[in-house]
Amino acid sequence: MSEAAEKVQEEEIDLTGANQILDKFIDMQGALMPVLQEIQEHYGYIPEPCVHLTAERLNVYSSQIYGVLTFYSQFHLEPRGKYIVRVCMGTACHVKGAGRIADTLKERLGVGHAETTEDLKFTAEYVACIGACGMAPVIMVNDGTYGSLTVQKMDEVIAKYVAMD
Ligand code: FES
């Protein structure tokens, strides 16, 4: 488990939100997926206590829920940063220096693939082609795309988000 995840796990998870979501779906057929989607929307990920609560209230096994969570990549079992930095590692970006861009991110923020900063501000993800090969190397920060990156430009993008709340 990551440090960020441990920090959050140490704090109590307030299950009020999860209970309200479950109240809405409790008598519905096929409620599991929408419940999990809404729980993730509410908490930003699926906290472990929510898995057990969902199992209990929907009368399914926790193992079934973990099966669903690990099958669908849309679900996250650990807390993620406010800013998700996706570094494209597709062929065009790789050839144009995506490795240096990923290294810069790691050096500046201390996070590699699937890692989150301790303050829960940034999560790094190395991804396949994001369809902007003409401006390789490319990263996305949440919905924003930044292309033709050099180490210097990458530094500027990182500094911009570090300065933001
Ligand atoms: S390979 Fe990076 S955008 Fe296509």
Side-chain angles (χ1 to χ4, degrees):
M1 189 183 287
S2 71
E3 278 180 44
E6 275 172 25
K7 199 172 142 199
V8 171
Q9 296 277 332
E10 279 169 19
E11 292 163 19
E12 281 282 295
I13 300 283
D14 180 357
L15 292 173
T16 313
N19 269 314
Q20 284 167 352
I21 293 163
L22 281 154
D23 287 343
K24 279 197 299 181
F25 291 95
I26 201 78
D27 290 322
M28 218 179 268
Q29 281 279 333
L32 185 57
M33 283 300 274
V35 162
L36 294 175
Q37 278 159 349
E38 289 207 14
I39 286 176
Q40 175 152 290
E41 222 166 275
H42 183 81
Y43 294 93
Y45 72 110
I46 313 272
E48 199 182 322
C50 290
V51 173
H52 301 304
L53 177 74
T54 303
E56 199 183 297
R57 294 204 53 197
L58 294 185
N59 204 18
V60 293
Y61 291 113
S62 293
S63 58
Q64 277 175 271
I65 299 179
Y66 281 115
V68 170
L69 294 176
T70 49
F71 183 79
Y72 293 100
S73 59
Q74 62 176 295
F75 293 119
H76 304 286
L77 283 160
E78 293 207 349
R80 300 192 343 135
K82 179 172 184 189
Y83 301 109
I84 310 296
V85 184
R86 297 188 172 88
V87 182
C88 179
M89 291 293 186
T91 307
C93 288
H94 173 76
V95 169
K96 293 259 183 122
R100 281 199 308 277
I101 299 305
D103 288 348
T104 305
L105 187 64
K106 178 102 189 165
E107 279 161 26
R108 305 300 185 264
L109 298 179
V111 285
H113 176 61
E115 291 175 350
T116 298
T117 56
E118 247 187 278
D119 61 2
L120 296 178
K121 191 159 177 186
F122 296 96
T123 294
E125 285 181 351
Y126 301 165
V127 298
C129 178
I130 53 178
C133 310
M135 44 197 262
V138 179
I139 65 160
M140 287 186 76
V141 183
N142 294 355
D143 293 335
T145 305
Y146 300 87
S148 306
L149 289 170
T150 57
V151 168
Q152 194 193 335
K153 270 177 107 176
M154 183 64 184
D155 268 336
E156 287 167 14
V157 174
I158 294 169
K160 174 179 144 180
Y161 284 94
V162 165
M164 281 161 65
D165 276 342

